[in-house]
Amino acid sequence: MKKKIILDVDTGSDDAIAVMLAGLSEELDLIGVSTVNGNRNIDITTTNTLRLVDYLDLDIPVYRGCHLPMVVSLTPNRRKNVPYIGPDNKEEDVHGDYLPLPETTRKEEKEHAVFWLARTLTETTEKITLVFVGPLTNLAMALRIAPSIVENIEEIVIMGGGYAINNVTAGAEFNFWIDPEAAKIVADCGAPMRIVPLDATHDAYISWEDSEEMLAENSKASKFCGLLMQQRITGYNLFQPLPIHNTAPIHDALAVAALIDPEVLQDLHEVNMDVCVSHGIADGWSLFDFEKRNRARKPNCTVALRSDRERFVRLLKENLRKSK
Ligand code: RIB
Ligand code: CA
C-alpha cells in the first residue's frame, strides 16, 4: 500500500531532487506539493517546482504557499535578507535562482497552500504523512487555522535543525532560521515527528563520482540530479567544505528517502526538540534536550544524528532511474 504524502518545498537544488525522488518512488503516493518562501522568494520556488513536475511529466498538483515567514520580518534588522536572494559570494550559491529547465505553462492550483493543507488534513479519511523540507511557515499557519489537523497527520518528517552542525549562523540551520516561530509551532504541535538535521544530511553526502554516474544514466531525472549534484559540490567546496573534498549533502532528498527506507537514518534518539525564537545570537536554534534538563518538556520527536550514505545513494539512483 503506497504511503500518502504531502511534500512542502522551497525549490532549491536539493528540494528539486527530493521532488523527483518522491514523484518517482513506487512506495509513495505524492498527493501534492506545496511551495514556500525560503531558498528564494515564493515566485521562484513555485516556478521551479512547476518546471520540474512538468519536465518529468509528473501529474502532481502544486500549491503556492506563504511568501513571507510568520513574523520574523516584522522586527527591524532581525533578518536583513528575507526573502533570501542567495549568498553575497555567488560562487558559493548551491541553488541559483531558476532551475536550468524549460519554461512551463503549467500553473499552480488556485487554492493557497495553507488553505489546501488545512482543508485536506481536515477532510481526509486516512492519515497523511507530511514531509517538510523548507521553512515550516505553511504548516504552522495551517495549524493556527485548524489545530485539529494534528489528528490526521501520520507523521511529520522534517529536514531542518542541527545538533552539532549548523549552516546559516553559528547556532541555526537555514529552514528553522528563516521562520523560527513556525518551527516552534510545529515542534509543539503534538504530531509524531522525525527530524532529519544537518548532522544526518552531511553524513549522507554525495561525491563527484556519484554525480558523474548520475549524468551517465539514461534517465532525465538522473541526469538532472547529476547536474544539481555538481552545482552543489562546487558551492559547498567554498561555502561549507565537508570533511571529504568534492562532496555535498542533498539535505531534502534524505528526508524523502527516510519514508522509502527508514534504515537510511541512523543513530536515532527520542528527545524533546525546542526552537529558539529569542531574536538573539541563537535565533532559530534547534535545541535537542538529550539530557532531559527541561522536565516540563516531554520527548516530541525522533532525531537522526547519522545516516547510511551507501544505502541512501543506492536508493536515489534506483528511483531516479525510473524516469523516462
Ligand atoms: O539547511 C538546509 C535546508 O535549507 C535545505 O532544505 C535547503 O534546501 C534549504 O532549504
Ligand atoms: Ca529546502
Side-chain angles (χ1 to χ4, degrees):
M1 172 86 162
K2 285 195 168 194
K3 185 185 289 282
K4 199 180 278 291
I5 74 164
I6 288 172
L7 176 61
D8 186 275
V9 292
D10 59 331
T11 311
S13 55
D14 57 330
D15 307 72
I17 299 170
V19 170
M20 294 196 285
L21 181 56
L24 292 167
S25 161
E26 282 149 22
E27 289 85 0
L28 304 178
D29 174 14
L30 180 56
I31 64 172
V33 179
S34 46
T35 65
V36 69
N37 153 69
N39 283 316
R40 289 298 190 274
N41 69 49
I42 191 68
D43 292 334
I44 294 176
T45 61
T46 305
T47 298
N48 282 338
T49 307
L50 288 164
R51 282 189 184 181
L52 187 62
V53 294
D54 193 30
Y55 178 64
L56 292 186
D57 201 22
L58 297 174
D59 181 19
I60 296 163
V62 175
Y63 295 84
R64 180 188 175 105
C66 291
H67 69 296
L68 281 177
M70 296 183 84
V71 298
V72 80
S73 43
L74 303 181
T75 307
N77 299 321
R78 189 179 173 194
R79 293 289 181 280
K80 294 187 180 60
N81 49 357
V82 174
Y84 190 61
I85 57 169
D88 296 338
N89 175 0
K90 290 304 170 200
E91 290 179 358
E92 293 181 8
D93 192 357
V94 297
H95 296 293
D97 289 341
Y98 293 99
L99 290 178
L101 290 174
E103 292 191 20
T104 177
T105 55
R106 182 97 71 109
K107 292 276 177 270
E108 70 259 30
E109 303 301 307
K110 287 190 173 27
E111 190 173 20
H112 189 282
V114 172
F115 297 139
W116 174 68
L117 281 167
R119 181 175 59 78
T120 303
L121 290 167
T122 299
E123 295 173 355
T124 183
T125 54
E126 60 182 295
K127 291 199 174 190
I128 297 172
T129 295
L130 308 182
V131 193
F132 274 65
V133 297
L136 290 158
T137 315
N138 291 333
L139 181 51
M141 295 290 283
L143 285 163
R144 282 295 189 254
I145 291 175
S148 62
I149 60 176
V150 168
E151 292 146 31
N152 288 331
I153 295 173
E154 178 71 30
E155 178 186 28
I156 311 171
V157 178
I158 296 170
M159 190 282 127
Y163 175 57
I165 301 176
N166 285 298
N167 60 5
V168 66
T169 69
E173 176 277 326
F174 184 83
N175 288 337
F176 283 18
W177 179 81
I178 288 281
D179 197 339
E181 282 77 9
K184 181 161 177 58
I185 288 169
V186 173
D188 293 348
C189 79
M193 274 192 307
R194 231 177 327 163
I195 308 295
V196 184
L198 294 172
D199 311 83
T201 64
H202 281 222
D203 209 22
Y205 62 85
I206 46 93
S207 65
W208 197 266
E209 293 70 29
D210 294 326
S211 72
E212 288 176 328
E213 287 172 21
M214 283 289 194
L215 286 167
E217 292 268 2
N218 269 333
S219 97
K220 286 166 80 170
S222 305
K223 286 186 185 303
F224 189 52
C225 181
L227 197 69
L228 295 172
M229 283 176 168
Q230 294 192 346
Q231 175 183 343
R232 292 183 61 79
I233 290 170
T234 305
Y236 262 85
N237 282 343
L238 295 168
F239 154 60
Q240 189 174 19
L242 270 61
I244 300 172
H245 182 58
N246 265 356
T247 62
I250 326 181
H251 311 287
D252 300 343
L254 183 62
V256 172
L259 290 171
I260 299 165
D261 176 5
E263 297 293 311
V264 295
L265 298 181
Q266 300 288 314
D267 193 6
L268 304 176
H269 303 265
E270 306 288 325
V271 291
N272 182 273
M273 176 183 78
D274 200 350
V275 181
C276 180
V277 293
S278 70
H279 296 222
I281 60 168
D283 201 19
W285 174 40
S286 53
L287 172 57
F288 296 100
D289 189 1
F290 286 97
E291 306 289 324
K292 295 185 172 47
R293 289 281 170 249
N294 185 341
R295 300 275 190 263
R297 291 181 64 90
K298 300 287 171 269
N300 58 359
C301 74
T302 300
V303 62
L305 294 185
R306 303 294 306 272
S307 51
D308 182 331
R309 176 191 120 75
E310 304 303 328
R311 203 175 175 113
F312 167 61
V313 173
R314 190 168 54 248
L315 182 152
L316 192 59
K317 287 177 181 170
E318 283 166 4
N319 280 280
L320 296 195
R321 199 172 284 138
K322 294 171 187 167
S323 83
K324 297 184 194 81

